[in-house]
Amino acid sequence: MASLSLPLSTVLIFVICTLTLTAHSVPFIVLHGIGDKCSSKAVVTFTERLSNWSGSQGYCVEIGDGGWDSWTMPLLEQTAIACEKVKNISELSEGYNLVGLSQGTMIGRGVVEWCDGAPPVKNFISLAGIHAGIASIPFCGSEWFCALVDLLIELEVYSNYVQEHLAPSGYVKIPTDISAYLKGCKFLPKLNNEIIATRNSTYKERFASLQNLVLIMDTVLVPKETSWFGYYPDGAFDPILPAQETKLYTEDWIGLKILDEAGKVKFINVSGGHLEISTSDMKTYIVPYLVDETSRQMAITKTSPFNWLSSIWHFFLELGQKSFYQFSANV
């Protein structure tokens, strides 16, 4: 009987491919909230912890100088900057996961929906997102600047001047003044595909292509249900509609209904103030979506060298048996 020997190249290809899969992970980016910056201790710690726990490389994407520009730069401009930065990070070229914090979730959604030529976002994790808008700005404080912000919001929120100089005005939605909102607000109506004449199916297709959408609510936003796409009905401040009863969902303007019916939307509620999330909640609700599925499967195999060697052994045994049968048939 002729002996069977496998080429060394076959062995090397199999081993290299196995090791490559084991080492592969999907990177992620963090888009911080208003008044913050990538260099702040809180954001640095947040990003590093997620990276360490998930085994994935994380990048905080800064826009302008961070704090001041997050307040004063129009959100359309902030999104355009984030779009270009994402495209210029070579490590994201095969796709990435996105973690948005408060206002950062809005910029992140803009990147998903509008950023032509960008790599795909796989999992979108939203912490305290302002997805359906807010009726007031609860996270400013009591300083003179915040008093001025409140005055501008109350008097001229949809004027060109405020829209161009106060970023949060781009997602203020006064339910009793919807016509002015649709006419004057420059950001949220476009993001949520609300204007019939300019409704864009590409935005919906891109958003609906997400693998998972994780919506983590906190208790500070007004209303807090906006983190889950819930909001007031047009014309009134009562009741607060759950996402599934809004027109955005029932008419599926952005693909939220598609994602939800496919089981890809995770509605999460955590305790704490604005952007306050415990270590255990981070590990439970965020980290699993920063670990690539292939990496998780290979990591399980990697933890047991006996399983890993057994897999290789059975691979070669099966390959050898097939080759032997083919050899015997030809003798």
Side-chain angles (χ1 to χ4, degrees):
M1 179 183 297
S3 62
L4 174 66
S5 61
L6 293 171
L8 179 59
S9 59
T10 301
V11 179
L12 291 175
I13 289 172
F14 179 82
V15 172
I16 291 172
C17 288
T18 302
L19 293 176
T20 300
L21 283 173
T22 303
H24 175 68
S25 64
V26 176
F28 68 91
I29 69 167
V30 171
L31 293 167
H32 63 70
I34 193 168
D36 216 335
K37 59 179 65 176
C38 285
S39 60
S40 74
K41 183 178 179 180
V43 175
V44 169
T45 300
F46 180 80
T47 306
E48 288 180 347
R49 285 180 175 178
L50 291 181
S51 185
N52 292 336
W53 294 336
S54 67
S56 301
Q57 181 63 49
Y59 304 88
C60 181
V61 175
E62 190 64 279
I63 299 169
D65 66 4
W68 183 253
D69 283 338
S70 70
W71 273 104
T72 61
M73 185 185 294
L75 287 174
L76 288 174
E77 186 177 345
Q78 292 192 45
T79 301
I81 292 173
C83 169
E84 291 306 311
K85 288 200 170 187
V86 163
K87 290 193 288 187
N88 288 328
I89 300 176
S90 59
E91 291 83 358
L92 307 182
S93 61
E94 299 300 319
Y96 64 100
N97 299 315
L98 191 154
V99 182
L101 308 178
S102 191
Q103 182 171 285
T105 65
M106 310 302 281
I107 297 168
R109 280 185 52 207
V111 171
V112 171
E113 295 180 26
W114 307 332
C115 191
D116 295 330
V121 175
K122 298 177 181 292
N123 296 320
F124 190 113
I125 300 95
S126 163
L127 178 56
I130 315 167
H131 301 294
I134 55 172
S136 67
I137 301 178
F139 40 81
C140 183
S142 58
E143 295 83 359
W144 67 267
F145 176 74
C146 297
L148 177 60
V149 167
D150 289 339
L151 180 62
L152 289 174
I153 292 297
E154 182 179 350
L155 297 179
E156 298 288 344
V157 64
Y158 300 129
S159 69
N160 287 333
Y161 182 85
V162 174
Q163 288 289 311
E164 292 172 2
H165 294 87
L166 185 63
S169 67
Y171 46 78
V172 170
K173 184 176 183 179
I174 307 301
T176 54
D177 200 5
I178 293 299
S179 60
Y181 160 75
L182 292 175
K183 181 179 179 180
C185 190
K186 305 298 184 183
F187 185 78
L188 189 62
K190 178 180 179 180
L191 187 69
N192 282 345
N193 241 352
E194 295 184 71
I195 302 174
I196 296 176
T198 58
R199 194 162 289 165
N200 193 317
S201 62
T202 299
Y203 303 166
K204 177 178 178 178
E205 291 169 5
R206 289 175 175 171
F207 191 68
S209 71
L210 293 171
Q211 294 178 6
N212 289 285
L213 174 63
V214 183
L215 302 174
I216 304 174
M217 178 194 295
D218 71 13
T219 59
V220 177
L221 299 176
V222 182
K224 65 181 187 297
E225 289 81 4
T226 189
S227 293
W228 288 359
F229 284 90
Y231 208 66
Y232 308 107
D234 291 355
F237 280 92
D238 186 70
I240 299 173
L241 302 176
Q244 292 79 4
E245 295 181 17
T246 65
K247 288 184 179 181
L248 179 145
Y249 185 97
T250 58
E251 298 178 7
D252 209 14
W253 298 339
I254 60 170
L256 180 63
K257 183 178 180 181
I258 293 174
L259 287 171
D260 191 28
E261 291 182 343
K264 296 180 179 181
V265 184
K266 322 300 178 185
F267 297 97
I268 309 297
N269 199 346
V270 298
S271 59
H274 189 61
L275 294 181
E276 293 179 358
I277 184 169
S278 67
T279 294
S280 60
D281 284 341
M282 288 173 65
K283 290 182 176 180
T284 301
Y285 302 122
I286 300 178
V287 172
Y289 298 97
L290 302 182
V291 181
D292 183 58
E293 183 66 32
T294 301
S295 299
R296 287 201 297 268
Q297 296 296 332
M298 294 307 298
I300 293 172
T301 303
K302 186 179 179 182
T303 58
S304 172
F306 296 104
N307 289 341
W308 187 79
L309 290 171
S310 176
S311 298
I312 297 177
W313 167 252
H314 286 293
F315 170 81
F316 285 120
L317 182 61
E318 181 180 359
L319 182 61
Q321 288 174 339
K322 290 180 179 179
S323 300
F324 174 74
Y325 293 143
Q326 293 173 352
F327 172 79
S328 299
N330 294 327
V331 174

